[in-house]
Amino acid sequence: METTKSTMANEPALMTYGMSTELKDSGLLLQINRLSHEDKKCLIRYIYDTEKTDSEEIDFIESNPPYTMEELNARIDEAEEEMERGEGKTFESMMSEMNKNLLWLK
């Protein structure tokens, strides 16, 4: 199995089997090696998400077509009727609930 030599004495050698010389020499692997386990998992998820094929995107668009103007107007009318009946939430109550549930946004 192929490895690269570490540039610092306290850093382990990195496994680089099958990687291009350009990637091995870029320093990116050392930067990734320094990430926390959780950040590495997030990076992997991000990379997989950016690898969607065109057919997957087309399938998503076809299964989720945009609303027509009639559908949008019907949704607006429904929301206005709910407001007149006193249903729904005020902006302030919605923001209060969001702040309570999403403390990490502060």
Side-chain angles (χ1 to χ4, degrees), residues 20-56:
S20 68
T21 304
E22 182 179 304
L23 178 58
K24 292 178 204 173
D25 296 341
S26 70
L28 179 62
L29 298 176
L30 287 174
Q31 293 297 323
I32 292 171
N33 195 40
R34 292 179 183 140
L35 294 174
S36 70
H37 180 72
E38 196 61 35
D39 284 343
K40 286 176 187 173
K41 289 187 339 188
C42 290
L43 179 60
I44 289 168
R45 278 190 224 112
Y46 173 78
I47 291 169
Y48 279 124
D49 286 346
T50 61
E51 292 293 314
K52 289 184 179 175
T53 64
D54 289 338
S55 65
E56 288 174 329

